[in-house]
Amino acid sequence: MSQTREPPHPRRIFRQKKEHLPHDIVLNILANLPAKSVLRFRCVSKTWDSSITTPSFISTHLNLNNNNNNLAYLINFASTHIDSHFNNTTTFKSTIPSFIGGYDPTFNRISEYPIPSGFPSSYYYTADSCNGLVCFTQHGYYPWHPTITGAIYLWNPSIRKLKRLPDFSPTQHDWLSTGFAYQSNTNDYKVVKISQMNIPDNDVIETEAEVYTLSSNSWRRVGISLANTFWGLPVDNWTGTFVSGALHWLGYVCEAASRYMILSFDVNNDKFGEIALPDGQQQQLLPQGVMAKPNRLMVFKGKLGFITLDYLLLNHINNDVYENYMRSHANSCFIWVMGEYGVHESWSKLFFVQFENVVSVHFCGCTSHGELLVIKKLDPESNIERKRFTVVSLDLETSLEKDLGFQKVPYIATTFMESLVLLDGATELSG
């Protein structure tokens, strides 16, 4: 007589299978999942939770996501600064963006992250991104002059973790810029604050830097010793450009013939340096005495680059030539890229772009695939729809533009990826 047995309970099957699945294989599977999916598996067991929140797992997950090129495009919506820039005014209204949107490489919306509540609305914010972390820097505005207020935040939108950095030491120096970077050899993160003070009695400009390290959760002073006298930074360079293990800022100097240089900061040895721009080569294809003006730095397909916008007259001998050239080349730009990092001879002018039927243009960033994000203020006479502006992605190799259909002007754009960084620390947001 045959006997029938009741089938085992599904939970018992899962438990049996889980016991026979090596833990390292489980972690390998989890490390290949999106950040939001990994978070859900923390509730499976205490073992899984403790393993997922370890620095080693977070680092492994980050490296796998980088290798998979799981990059979206991050847009920080805050239209006030751009409007002021377009109108050629010096009026800065205090504002904070309402949300950050994530986009795939074709600029289809794939995610939306609301800005954490609690940010004072009476301040102005700049932002930068690295390995899934967004660094918010809070500023106040005195007449014609920005100043940092002492509030800097690291925020991971994917896991809803927020960390306010400790205040830096008081100083009489005026804030110039910040930079946010990843130190690969120690798996650490750094925020660099650059400030400057004019000492009239000695007729010198004193520049100093403070560096915050996430692992120590503290600031320290770092000296800046340069061959040239460093004057300061253009207004559009409020955040550093991180590439090849270093932060970079476009700066003014008085000794250089072009009056511009790149200030660099190696995050592995905390050393500042200078990178010369391609002054001599830049005169090619331009009238004598006319120089293309560097506008902002960029990362072009993993390499350091910069965009020129507008032109400078080096002497007044060729003033008529300069005026004629400006009229025929208004709203045009060159894109320069350093082929081999640190090698001055490897600077090359890769692209020339001429924008038509626009009043002005503003560059917000560059995607990991090399497209530029450009805000164009439109000429009303040639604009049938009477649109005030349009935001486009520009493929430099094909010259194809795509209207992204934004209803608000994006203030800043940077490549972004989901990660678990800060999962082992910081404050979890409620709501």
Side-chain angles (χ1 to χ4, degrees), residues 212-387:
Y212 168 86
T213 305
L214 181 60
S215 60
S216 65
N217 193 36
S218 61
W219 293 89
R220 58 188 176 84
R221 292 273 173 84
V222 174
I224 302 179
S225 178
L226 302 173
N228 295 309
T229 301
F230 178 66
W231 280 356
L233 304 168
V235 69
D236 282 341
N237 290 259
W238 280 327
T239 59
T241 300
F242 181 58
V243 62
S244 298
L247 282 164
H248 305 83
W249 295 267
L250 184 65
Y252 302 117
V253 291
C254 57
E255 289 86 353
S258 67
R259 301 195 296 257
Y260 290 92
M261 53 84 77
I262 296 176
L263 175 68
S264 65
F265 176 78
D266 190 321
V267 299
N268 290 314
N269 59 26
D270 286 359
K271 298 293 185 182
F272 281 92
E274 301 175 58
I275 298 177
L277 294 172
D279 303 333
Q281 301 175 46
Q282 209 165 6
Q283 303 306 318
Q284 296 179 9
L285 305 179
L286 295 177
Q288 185 177 3
V290 178
M291 187 192 78
K293 179 181 177 181
N295 178 255
R296 67 181 299 162
L297 301 179
M298 59 187 289
V299 180
F300 182 78
K301 295 185 177 180
K303 299 181 183 297
L304 177 64
F306 68 92
I307 299 173
T308 68
L309 185 65
D310 203 357
Y311 298 88
L312 296 174
L313 181 63
L314 301 180
N315 57 66
H316 294 284
I317 298 176
N318 297 319
N319 191 64
D320 292 338
V321 175
Y322 170 75
E323 294 294 338
N324 291 333
Y325 191 85
M326 282 292 294
R327 281 192 292 269
S328 61
H329 290 78
N331 298 312
S332 64
C333 69
F334 294 102
I335 288 85
W336 288 79
V337 175
M338 180 176 269
E340 183 178 352
Y341 184 76
V343 179
H344 179 75
E345 294 74 18
S346 68
W347 279 115
S348 59
K349 186 161 46 181
L350 296 186
F351 303 99
F352 171 77
V353 182
Q354 178 87 46
F355 294 93
E356 305 290 346
N357 301 322
V358 296
V359 176
S360 60
V361 295
H362 181 86
F363 300 101
C364 286
C366 185
T367 73
S368 59
H369 299 282
E371 297 102 342
L372 292 183
L373 188 68
V374 182
I375 304 173
K376 301 196 299 183
K377 186 174 183 181
L378 302 177
D379 184 353
E381 295 183 1
S382 59
N383 180 13
I384 300 177
E385 300 178 5
R386 302 298 183 190
K387 292 173 65 176

Side-chain angles (χ1 to χ4, degrees), residues 133 135 152 154 163-168 179-193 209-222 247 265-271 421-422:
L133 285 183
C135 180
I152 300 179
L154 296 181
K163 179 179 180 62
R164 173 169 174 161
L165 275 55
D167 294 341
F168 30 80
F180 180 47
Y182 174 65
Q183 185 177 357
S184 59
N185 61 359
T186 59
N187 191 30
D188 208 350
Y189 294 83
K190 291 183 176 179
V191 178
V192 181
K193 170 184 170 284
E210 289 184 89
V211 179
Y212 168 86
T213 305
L214 181 60
S215 60
S216 65
N217 193 36
S218 61
W219 293 89
R220 58 188 176 84
R221 292 273 173 84
V222 174
L247 282 164
F265 176 78
D266 190 321
V267 299
N268 290 314
N269 59 26
D270 286 359
K271 298 293 185 182
V421 181
L422 284 189

